[in-house]
Amino acid sequence: MNVFSRAPKWAIASHNAGKIREIADLIGPYGLSAEGADALGLPEPEETEKTFIGNALLKAKAGAEASGLVALADDSGLEVTALDGAPGIYSARWAGEPRDFHAAMEKVRTELEGRGATDMSARFVCALALAHPDGDTRVYEGEVRGTLTFPPRGDKGFGYDPIFIPDGHDVTFAEMDPGQKHAMSHRADAFRQLVADVFGA
């Protein structure tokens, strides 16, 4: 056990309801409660870093400082091989503001078509950062690889889930039962590392 595991409540430094729900489901079995940024009145810092890890740390530190709680932040996105890793850290803002993932998925499709791409391989990447109000930080990075499919399929999940089929499966993340997705997702991969480090499990 360490300083993070002794905190009964964590702040989830995110305004994304889908991410908050997934992370709360993941940490619940460890006796932790969590509240999202909106509920805690946390500001949304500008993501100025150039990596998933950098942005996750930025958000976690800001969340811990503002809330006085251990803060968990996620920065994640889709990297498409044929688009040279785009949209990457710009995944949420790929189609501009306000954030519209239907438009973002369509932009991915048109960009691929414009390049005459036949390689539909992609990966989701997730960086999880923990920050303690005393300044201690930890970072974990996970991934899940798969292929893209168009048009989008399924109404579960969020973000780019409707166009992503994880390797070894024939359905998109948005067609899967949430529990099945949680077990294999990029966020779950990073979270397994967090659990091993924080809880020794």
Side-chain angles (χ1 to χ4, degrees):
M1 291 291 208
N2 60 32
V3 66
F4 293 103
S5 64
R6 292 195 294 272
K9 182 178 180 180
W10 288 3
I12 301 176
S14 174
H15 294 267
N16 182 313
K19 285 185 181 181
I20 292 168
R21 187 166 52 251
E22 278 197 9
I23 293 171
D25 287 347
L26 288 167
I27 68 175
Y30 297 93
L32 296 170
S33 64
E35 286 198 58
D38 285 338
L40 293 168
L42 302 182
E44 186 167 14
E46 184 179 356
E47 297 179 16
T48 55
E49 298 296 322
K50 301 300 182 186
T51 64
F52 292 114
I53 287 175
N55 281 324
L57 272 171
L58 183 155
K59 291 185 283 189
K61 289 176 180 177
E65 183 177 337
S67 69
L69 300 170
V70 167
L72 174 64
D74 158 295
D75 197 54
S76 56
L78 178 71
E79 294 184 342
V80 181
T81 305
L83 300 183
D84 304 316
I89 62 168
Y90 304 106
S91 291
R93 303 179 293 280
W94 183 237
E97 297 287 353
R99 297 174 185 183
D100 181 343
F101 282 103
H102 293 291
M105 288 186 284
E106 178 61 15
K107 184 176 179 182
V108 170
R109 185 189 67 78
T110 57
E111 292 269 348
L112 287 168
E113 281 190 357
R115 295 190 183 199
T118 57
D119 181 358
M120 293 290 112
S121 64
R123 69 171 187 157
F124 272 125
V125 180
C126 172
L128 287 179
L130 272 176
H132 195 280
D134 69 6
D136 193 5
T137 60
R138 305 283 176 92
V139 181
Y140 316 89
E141 191 170 43
E143 70 168 23
V144 59
R145 294 182 178 271
T147 56
L148 302 183
T149 186
F150 298 95
R153 292 164 21 197
D155 57 5
K156 301 172 185 174
F158 60 95
Y160 295 92
D161 286 355
I163 61 171
F164 186 83
I165 301 174
D167 285 348
H169 296 265
D170 57 9
V171 296
T172 69
F173 268 167
E175 293 175 303
M176 284 185 180
D177 177 81
Q180 186 181 10
K181 177 196 167 185
H182 290 346
M184 73 176 71
S185 75
H186 50 311
R187 194 163 290 111
D189 185 19
F191 192 74
R192 277 189 288 272
Q193 299 169 45
L194 182 155
V195 167
D197 182 36
V198 174
F199 301 102

